Amino acid sequence: MKTKLNKVQKLAVEAIKGPVLIFAGAGSGKTKVLTEKIYHLIKIGKLKPENILSVTFTNKAAKEMKTRVMSLLKTNKLEVSLGTFHSICARLIRNEAKEIGLNPQFAIYDTQDQSDLYKVVLKELNIPKDVINSNQARSQISLLKNKMITPNDKLKKARTVFEKRLADVYKVYEEMLRQNNALDFDDLLLYPLKIFEDYPKILAKYQNLWKYVLVDEYQDTNKPQFLFLSFITKKHKNICVVGDDDQSIYGWRGADITNILNFERLFPNCKTFTLEENYRSTQQILDAATAVVSHNEKRAEKTLIANNGEGEPLVLIETKDELEEADAIISALEKEIKLHKRTFSHFSVLYRTNAQSRALEDSFRRTGIPYNLVGSVRFYERKEVKDALGYLKLVINLSDTISLRRIINFPPRGIGMKTMDKCVAKAEKESISLFEVLKRSKQLAIRGKQSDSLLSFYRLIKKYNGLQKKLNASELSRSLIEESGIIKYYRESQEIENKDRYENILELLNSIDEFCLKNPGSTLSDFLEEVSLLTDIDNWNDSENRVTLMTVHSSKGLEFPVVFVSGLDDGLFPLFRTFDSQDELEEERRLFYVAVTRAKQKVFLLYATNRRRLGGENIIGLPSRFIAEIPNEYLERVDFQSALTRRIVGGKLKKQAKLRVRRTVTTFDDFKVGDVVEHAIFGIGKIMVLSGTGENQRVGVVFKDGTKKKLIVKYANLTKQN
């Protein structure tokens, strides 16, 4: 059923010639505009569905959009190319793989696979963990790839020993990816660009195929994504991008806010529309959020007008520490349930970092309140599931040494690290694949039993590699996992936790069955590709009656009647490391804007005057500077009411005695956070954090020249300035 569009939305939908930029403020109905536009292009513009490319940032958003468009068109099938950048690019690479000399059965390495490969690289280069660890290498090199900096580029510009070593790691990592016939997430965006540059005919094919391109969340695009869109639209110029510069929150992984801010210059004759009518939040929530983000210099001006009335002020609660903060959230949640007849699913608790969830989870478990933690270990990342997937990946791609290393001794078959080292050495000496070495296990200087195990494993994988075209994905997976011994291992195990692992293996096989039913004719490669591209939010189930706990980043695109934004301490939100960078501080401010605008009716802001961080130290802090940027008329400061005075059991409230407590900032000795001090060497500075007492008291000071120092008060000889 078609819904009514407001005036600006209607104009944006009907603009189907040339470049179109839609600034869509939070809750302004951008998904509705995109789906209506696709409908308009097909019904009014007479464009064939297969000639439309629609790009989203999550699989969840893609599925939602597809469902809506099919409903508008009254059809059960939609030929529109609709998906994330990564899924669309992965499909394109597989389709053109043979043309460019790439094995179409390439593996897509997820973050865990990448970290495992980096461990191999670092070992080969003899780089200790304390110099570069695998996760550090992964994040640093991913950022380089997003900026399209090659290993040689990095080496040429390297100024420090660390940068030179990182360039070496980058080079060997890329070589090993190719040896493993694997691509990482960044490669999925980079390979199409190389294809378009080197094969003009392939580029022309996709330019003629995708005659109209729509892009959601355009503010979060990076350089490769921008170039991909530029290639595709260079011929017809029909591109419509929707985004909100105030919600650009992925600069840390390469997103470039200038892509949206400079769109009109980069795409001449662009039509621009600004959606300012908000259908989600109240006016007070919008005004408070806008007041904060307006402090940013890099933004386009817009004024959001609430369709849902004035609403209530945001509630500000000061707490003593992270434990009391969690209790305060539960106390407020219980009141909301009682007074406004809300359910648990109406609430979301947002935080800046994943580590903050621990205290929250403890309190929720203690009080019996059901919750859903977004960002916990996902199903497909559980060890037993990763092991089973390792078998499936290796069967598809015999060059995948990361999967081979993972499963070679699982279930246990007596193959240790020394044996693997001998296999690796032989592979390098004879210039053959690690998998081929297994066939020649009799040539290795190892015991006969180990040799037999290697050969048996080789024959198992080889057998199912040859059965790919004879069995469908479901049949092949069930037979392989059964024959591998994984099911038997967990079924016969006496360890209690292995019962859950056994059930998870069965659930994995069920998920493959379901995938095959939903996608007739699909292959095992198709299933593995979908799994590798899943995100945290794709697994979130909003139909369950649970409180949702998640980072602010994960909450992007979601909405809840009531939102708690916790951890609003200066140094935590915004993060301490962003203080010296205008760009990073502006991104933190946009992140706060995103957090607040997830709420439909009510927002609670919480901070702690004492929080355990930094390796167990208690940090004394100040409220986030973002709180000070909210005008007082939009804030209601309330007393903390301990959640220990109230409990929910089985969803029912039980009244107990109430305890009213007012908290204030605690100071140690003569110093407190915010004091201006002078140091004999570093000069004038400001105390930002404070920890310890007596002789162990420490202060974190930011000096006027930007220098940051952690000092022991006993030895620092600081002088307080009046």
Side-chain angles (χ1 to χ4, degrees):
M1 180 179 167
K2 282 178 69 48
T3 53
K4 190 177 179 181
L5 299 167
N6 66 40
K7 185 178 178 181
V8 182
Q9 287 175 332
K10 190 170 184 294
L11 289 170
V13 164
E14 293 174 350
I16 58 175
K17 296 288 185 184
V20 174
L21 168 63
I22 304 174
F23 280 113
S28 61
K30 66 179 177 67
T31 303
K32 179 171 50 172
V33 169
L34 282 169
T35 53
E36 290 281 352
K37 198 171 184 76
I38 295 172
Y39 173 83
H40 190 83
L41 285 165
I42 297 170
K43 284 296 187 181
I44 310 302
K46 307 297 183 184
L47 209 59
K48 293 180 180 178
E50 57 265 32
N51 293 140
I52 300 172
L53 170 65
S54 183
V55 189
T56 63
F57 262 76
T58 66
N59 295 295
K60 186 179 178 68
K63 288 176 182 177
E64 182 185 349
M65 197 174 295
K66 190 173 184 177
T67 301
R68 289 197 194 187
V69 175
M70 287 193 299
S71 176
L72 288 172
L73 293 169
K74 295 180 172 61
T75 180
N76 294 321
K77 192 176 180 181
L78 187 66
E79 299 297 330
V80 172
S81 297
L82 209 161
T84 65
F85 273 106
H86 289 90
S87 64
I88 288 165
C89 287
R91 207 175 308 141
L92 187 154
I93 299 167
R94 288 203 195 277
N95 289 340
E96 310 303 333
K98 291 181 180 177
E99 188 74 25
I100 63 172
L102 184 69
N103 185 337
Q105 298 285 33
F106 60 82
I108 299 174
Y109 279 2
D110 61 22
T111 52
Q112 184 58 59
D113 296 329
Q114 292 169 47
S115 290
D116 290 344
L117 184 56
Y118 276 116
K119 288 174 184 175
V120 176
V121 173
L122 293 168
K123 184 179 179 181
E124 183 166 302
L125 294 174
N126 292 314
I127 298 175
K129 290 181 182 178
D130 58 348
V131 177
I132 305 175
N133 63 52
S134 59
N135 288 329
Q136 187 181 19
R138 178 175 56 78
S139 61
Q140 291 272 345
I141 291 170
S142 177
L143 197 57
L144 292 173
K145 292 178 110 175
N146 272 284
K147 294 178 178 178
M148 301 182 70
I149 298 170
T150 66
N152 287 335
D153 293 336
K154 181 62 181 174
L155 188 59
K156 288 176 185 175
K157 294 179 181 179
R159 295 290 180 266
T160 65
V161 174
F162 174 84
E163 289 182 337
K164 289 176 182 176
R165 301 300 293 275
L166 188 68
D168 293 337
V169 172
Y170 187 3
K171 184 180 179 182
V172 176
Y173 170 73
E174 290 292 283
E175 291 169 355
M176 286 193 175
L177 275 176
R178 304 295 86 83
Q179 291 169 11
N180 287 1
N181 188 35
L183 275 64
D184 62 21
F185 291 150
D186 301 312
D187 288 332
L188 295 179
L189 303 178
L190 294 171
Y191 262 67
L193 304 182
K194 185 170 175 54
I195 293 171
F196 292 159
E197 285 175 350
D198 296 346
Y199 300 88
K201 287 185 179 178
I202 295 178
L203 171 60
K205 180 175 84 174
Y206 286 98
Q207 286 176 332
N208 292 327
L209 173 64
W210 293 323
K211 295 176 181 178
Y212 202 99
V213 178
L214 301 101
V215 188
D216 191 15
E217 305 286 3
Y218 187 69
Q219 77 280 349
D220 288 325
T221 53
N222 59 21
K223 185 177 179 180
Q225 290 163 339
F226 167 76
L227 291 173
F228 176 84
L229 297 170
S230 298
F231 270 120
I232 296 296
T233 60
K234 190 174 182 180
K235 181 178 178 181
H236 52 67
K237 304 289 193 300
N238 292 326
I239 179 171
C240 173
V241 303
V242 182
D244 182 7
D245 53 299
D246 287 336
Q247 297 186 70
S248 180
I249 58 174
Y250 291 108
W252 52 276
R253 68 181 189 194
D256 188 352
I257 194 173
T258 61
N259 284 351
I260 190 168
L261 294 176
N262 295 339
F263 186 87
E264 292 164 292
R265 180 175 61 81
L266 296 168
F267 292 86
N269 304 314
C270 168
K271 294 177 182 174
T272 302
F273 304 91
T274 303
L275 308 182
E276 295 182 313
E277 191 167 353
N278 178 284
Y279 297 93
R280 175 189 301 155
S281 307
T282 64
Q283 194 64 54
Q284 292 218 50
I285 291 173
L286 296 178
D287 288 348
T290 302
V292 175
V293 83
S294 294
H295 284 77
N296 283 356
E297 294 177 6
K298 292 182 179 177
R299 70 181 295 266
E301 283 297 324
K302 61 188 77 69
T303 303
L304 295 181
I305 301 168
N307 198 260
N308 294 333
E310 187 68 16
E312 303 175 45
L314 286 70
V315 178
L316 178 63
I317 304 176
E318 177 187 284
T319 61
K320 180 182 69 175
D321 52 30
E322 68 271 21
L323 301 177
E324 192 172 272
E325 182 180 65
D327 288 343
I329 289 171
I330 290 173
S331 181
L333 183 151
E334 292 177 343
K335 285 183 184 178
E336 286 290 314
I337 290 174
K338 184 180 181 182
L339 295 175
H340 303 290
K341 309 297 184 205
R342 301 193 190 277
T343 62
F344 294 125
S345 61
H346 287 173
F347 301 92
S348 178
V349 184
L350 308 181
Y351 35 82
R352 179 63 183 84
T353 66
N354 276 305
Q356 292 168 251
S357 71
R358 197 257 327 150
L360 293 165
E361 286 191 83
D362 287 349
S363 287
F364 275 81
R365 282 195 296 265
R366 189 174 66 247
T367 53
I369 296 177
Y371 67 92
N372 184 19
L373 181 67
V374 178
S376 58
V377 178
R378 301 197 297 261
F379 176 78
Y380 293 107
E381 291 178 351
R382 293 170 182 167
K383 180 192 176 302
E384 63 275 15
V385 176
K386 287 281 288 185
D387 290 338
L389 289 173
Y391 275 91
L392 303 181
K393 288 179 178 181
L394 187 57
V395 161
I396 297 296
N397 176 16
L398 300 178
S399 300
D400 186 356
T401 62
I402 294 302
S403 293
L404 191 155
R405 287 168 180 268
R406 181 180 187 97
I407 62 174
I408 189 70
N409 196 42
F410 187 80
R413 47 177 66 92
I415 301 169
M417 289 300 299
K418 288 183 179 179
T419 301
M420 283 306 300
D421 287 342
K422 290 178 182 178
C423 291
V424 171
K426 187 172 180 63
E428 291 175 351
K429 183 180 179 180
E430 299 188 11
S431 299
I432 59 176
S433 73
L434 188 57
F435 183 73
E436 280 299 306
V437 169
L438 307 184
K439 185 170 75 172
R440 309 180 189 185
S441 60
K442 298 295 183 184
Q443 302 172 13
L444 296 171
I446 58 176
R447 291 182 306 198
K449 188 177 180 181
Q450 290 174 319
S451 174
D452 292 341
S453 294
L454 289 174
L455 189 58
S456 176
F457 178 81
Y458 171 85
R459 288 169 176 166
L460 173 71
I461 300 301
K462 196 69 176 175
K463 170 187 173 181
Y464 283 93
N465 178 257
L467 289 172
Q468 288 183 76
K469 294 181 179 179
K470 296 180 181 179
L471 302 175
N472 66 32
S474 178
E475 293 168 330
L476 188 147
S477 301
R478 285 188 174 277
S479 183
L480 171 60
I481 299 304
E482 181 72 43
E483 194 170 341
S484 72
I486 292 178
I487 290 178
K488 182 182 179 182
Y489 176 81
Y490 284 127
R491 185 174 56 219
E492 296 180 357
S493 173
Q494 298 303 307
E495 296 180 24
I496 296 173
E497 60 268 25
N498 281 345
K499 183 177 184 297
D500 289 337
R501 289 170 179 160
Y502 169 70
E503 290 175 353
N504 285 337
I505 296 295
L506 297 183
E507 184 58 31
L508 170 64
L509 296 174
N510 289 337
S511 71
I512 300 173
D513 294 343
E514 290 172 9
F515 179 82
C516 291
L517 286 172
K518 289 179 182 177
N519 305 278
S522 58
T523 65
L524 187 55
S525 287
D526 295 328
F527 172 76
L528 293 172
E529 181 178 302
E530 179 166 284
V531 168
S532 67
L533 298 177
L534 287 173
T535 63
D536 287 338
I537 204 62
D538 292 325
N539 297 313
W540 178 63
N541 186 353
D542 57 358
S543 65
E544 295 179 345
N545 187 24
R546 296 173 177 269
V547 179
T548 299
L549 311 183
M550 62 173 74
T551 64
V552 184
H553 281 99
S554 296
S555 74
K556 185 79 175 297
L558 305 179
E559 59 183 36
F560 302 87
V562 182
V563 167
F564 295 90
V565 186
S566 63
L568 283 167
D569 316 355
D570 223 36
L572 181 58
F573 196 178
L575 292 172
F576 188 78
R577 61 173 172 78
T578 66
F579 289 179
D580 294 334
S581 169
Q582 181 65 22
D583 286 347
E584 289 184 20
L585 190 57
E586 289 202 359
E587 181 153 311
E588 290 286 297
R589 201 173 269 118
R590 293 193 293 270
L591 192 61
F592 178 82
Y593 176 88
V594 167
V596 171
T597 56
R598 297 312 90 198
K600 296 167 117 178
Q601 297 162 11
K602 198 159 187 176
V603 174
F604 290 87
L605 308 174
L606 299 102
Y607 68 94
T609 59
N610 188 325
R611 191 178 298 271
R612 190 173 294 276
R613 288 188 278 149
L614 303 177
E617 286 187 297
N618 281 327
I619 303 297
I620 305 301
L622 295 171
S624 168
R625 60 194 63 195
F626 300 155
I627 293 173
E629 293 173 356
I630 302 174
N632 283 328
E633 61 260 36
Y634 304 130
L635 288 176
E636 179 188 356
R637 301 172 190 271
V638 302
D639 292 341
F640 166 71
Q641 282 196 317
S642 174
L644 298 175
T645 64
R646 219 181 244 177
R647 293 288 181 266
I648 293 182
V649 181
K652 294 181 180 179
L653 292 174
K654 290 186 177 181
K655 290 186 179 179
Q656 296 182 17
K658 298 177 184 179
L659 175 66
R660 184 174 296 273
V661 184
R662 182 176 292 277
R663 306 292 180 183
T664 57
V665 176
T666 305
T667 61
F668 289 142
D669 302 335
D670 294 328
F671 294 107
K672 63 179 184 294
V673 172
D675 278 350
V676 177
V677 294
E678 185 175 7
H679 187 275
I681 297 174
F682 304 114
I684 303 294
K686 187 176 183 180
I687 296 178
M688 303 304 298
V689 294
L690 198 150
S691 63
T693 58
E695 292 189 350
N696 297 318
Q697 186 182 30
R698 298 181 182 183
V699 292
V701 184
V702 178
F703 292 93
K704 280 191 173 182
D705 63 355
T707 302
K708 297 176 184 175
K709 291 290 179 181
K710 284 187 71 175
L711 304 169
I712 300 174
V713 174
K714 181 181 176 181
Y715 304 112
N717 196 23
L718 295 172
T719 305
K720 190 187 292 187
Q721 302 294 296
N722 295 323

